[in-house]
Amino acid sequence: MSLTQFGPVYSGRASAVRAGEVVLSLVASGLVGMRGWAGVRRLQHPYDRSLQLGLDRLAALCVRAGSSPPVGVADLVGVWCAERPLDSWPLEFDPDAQVGGERLLIGGEPSEFCLEWAVAARDVVSEVHESALVKHIKDTAALLGRPELYAQWRLFVTEHAVLGPEEFLVAKNAVLDVPQWATWMEESYGPVTAEASAGGRVAVCGGCGQWIVPRADGRVRCRVWRCAQRHDLPEPDRVQARGARRLEPELVRFVALPGRPELDLARRLAARGARVVLYPKLDALDLVAVWPGGHSIGVDVKDWHSPYLLARRIKTFPNWGAGDPHAYRKGYLVVPRDRLRANRSYMRILAQRSEALKAQPQIEVVCDDDLVASCPDLGTAGEVVCGP
């Protein structure tokens, strides 16, 4: 194996860390590329190109470190990714990356840590959000002067993972004055595949609300982080698979799952009397809420395992003038409480690592429980809307 083809020679602490992150991102992306939503079923060619590139770079760094490299992709996936925590790999990482004890595969599936580093490698979030479908929905909504259509679509797919034949027909006809709506539904939902069902039924998680692929042994257990932590997870619902449609895998990962904490926060605020607008201005923010007393806030919800990676993703909050229907007085970046409970360094790493937060000291980073508690509760329910 030639070592001259693996890229630049890294020197210095910063370069070594960067080299380690590149390898981690490539391998994580390759694992995700192998599995889609269905899971890594078997090791077979063709492998995702990112996985091979990651192996090549890892092998070169192993040689430089005097360590034995993985013996091919099967060894990388089956042993290194599945059994060895990242802090045992001969790579350097920034302490705030918190790789200690993290594995890329757990139970044959990419871990949450792995999924987030895959996002980092190829900017999959931007890729998905600017995909043909999402871009078409945003462009059409803007052209029609109805930005709420995008919010309606996003709300619907977040709440509906599986649709029976009649439900799917109703969904397609939900917005009759916009012919494109039916096409959006067709492209958002695909037939239930054989591997996604068991005994003629597809399982829908009672926690996150998304469809679950049965394991090889036939057991059905949701692998989403929050669901995997719960001891009181409700039994999944079983939906007749014949003729049913399930949300496309990429929309599960990048739209529906992130949408759950956003929608949960919106409804908790509305229960205390706030009026909450979802995804204003075609998702410029996750929500804008007006308290019962008139105080207005703009909110972005960030549900990430890694604050180190999240810090790189935080963008500048929009500054809308007083005459704008979505103008807000105070901006908040909201992190779910359980993320902070699981990682006491979360807030520190965000504050130290995010250039966007440093440039916007007026933006307050809070947990969801604290933001909800700050909303005055006058005993009258508010509302969650998709429109202006």
Side-chain angles (χ1 to χ4, degrees):
M1 180 186 297
S2 170
L3 300 182
T4 60
Q5 61 182 341
F6 298 136
V9 175
Y10 295 95
S11 61
R13 168 67 178 163
S15 293
V17 167
R18 176 59 183 159
E21 291 189 2
V22 168
V23 169
L24 172 54
S25 295
L26 285 169
V27 173
S29 289
L31 293 173
V32 173
M34 286 175 66
R35 55 89 75 168
W37 183 247
V40 178
R41 293 301 183 196
R42 56 191 175 276
L43 299 175
Q44 62 178 19
H45 291 284
Y47 298 117
D48 187 279
R49 183 170 182 270
S50 295
L51 197 61
Q52 186 64 56
L53 290 174
L55 172 62
D56 291 346
R57 288 179 178 247
L58 176 58
L61 293 173
C62 283
V63 170
R64 291 173 193 165
S67 301
S68 298
V71 185
V73 173
D75 186 37
L76 173 63
V77 175
V79 178
W80 285 61
C81 296
E83 299 178 5
R84 293 185 57 173
L86 279 160
D87 50 333
S88 73
W89 294 28
L91 302 174
E92 289 195 53
F93 295 102
D94 190 294
D96 283 346
Q98 299 177 314
V99 304
E102 296 283 2
R103 288 183 292 138
L104 296 182
L105 286 177
I106 298 176
E109 292 290 322
S111 64
E112 188 176 44
F113 182 89
C114 175
L115 290 169
E116 290 188 352
W117 276 95
V119 170
R122 294 186 292 187
D123 197 13
V124 179
V125 172
S126 296
E127 211 172 274
V128 169
H129 279 263
E130 296 303 322
S131 68
L133 173 60
V134 177
K135 186 176 187 303
H136 176 62
I137 294 173
K138 287 184 174 182
D139 289 348
T140 303
L143 185 64
L144 295 175
R146 294 181 58 181
E148 76 278 3
L149 288 170
Y150 170 76
Q152 285 179 243
W153 169 80
R154 186 161 178 169
L155 175 61
F156 186 87
V157 299
T158 297
E159 292 189 300
H160 300 86
V162 179
L163 298 171
E166 293 182 2
E167 294 172 313
F168 185 58
L169 182 60
V170 170
K172 288 176 60 178
N173 293 324
V175 188
L176 291 175
D177 62 330
V178 180
Q180 296 92 331
W181 180 272
T183 301
W184 300 344
M185 289 293 106
E186 287 279 2
E187 295 189 20
S188 299
Y189 292 87
V192 174
T193 59
E195 69 174 0
S197 61
R201 293 185 177 275
V202 58
V204 178
C205 179
C208 66
Q210 298 309 311
W211 50 274
I212 310 170
V213 174
R215 301 188 184 193
D217 60 7
R219 295 177 58 197
V220 176
R221 176 74 181 181
C222 186
R223 297 175 177 87
V224 172
W225 176 76
R226 284 193 178 85
C227 301
Q229 305 300 310
R230 290 181 60 176
H231 300 293
D232 61 342
L233 187 67
E235 283 294 312
D237 293 330
R238 309 279 180 164
V239 180
Q240 179 67 42
R242 185 175 182 180
R245 296 286 187 117
R246 57 99 175 100
L247 189 62
E248 292 290 358
E250 66 273 15
L251 297 180
V252 172
R253 174 74 183 106
F254 297 108
V255 178
L257 287 177
R260 298 292 290 196
E262 297 160 1
L263 186 55
D264 175 66
L265 176 62
R267 287 174 172 160
R268 290 169 67 191
L269 292 173
R272 296 177 72 93
R275 183 180 190 271
V276 184
V277 179
L278 290 172
Y279 311 116
K281 294 184 182 289
L282 301 174
D283 205 15
L285 286 173
D286 289 332
L287 58 95
V288 169
V290 180
W291 281 185
H295 179 66
S296 57
I297 64 169
V299 176
D300 240 1
V301 181
K302 297 300 184 185
D303 185 26
W304 282 63
H305 173 84
S306 170
Y308 181 74
L309 291 179
L310 171 57
R312 304 176 182 181
R313 298 290 174 174
I314 299 171
K315 297 179 180 179
T316 303
F317 271 51
N319 183 18
W320 298 322
D324 193 288
H326 300 307
Y328 57 92
R329 294 175 59 188
K330 177 70 175 177
Y332 291 95
L333 188 140
V334 175
V335 179
R337 169 75 72 183
D338 52 6
R339 296 293 188 187
L340 306 181
R341 190 182 299 120
N343 185 349
R344 295 183 179 181
S345 302
Y346 205 105
M347 290 294 205
R348 174 190 63 78
I349 294 172
L350 274 189
Q352 292 180 353
R353 296 285 181 169
S354 172
E355 295 302 320
L357 289 178
K358 292 176 184 177
Q360 302 174 94
Q362 75 278 13
I363 302 301
E364 188 174 346
V365 184
V366 299
C367 80
D368 52 351
D369 290 347
D370 290 344
L371 183 64
V372 172
S374 70
C375 179
D377 187 355
L378 304 183
T380 302
E383 60 179 343
V384 177
V385 300
C386 294

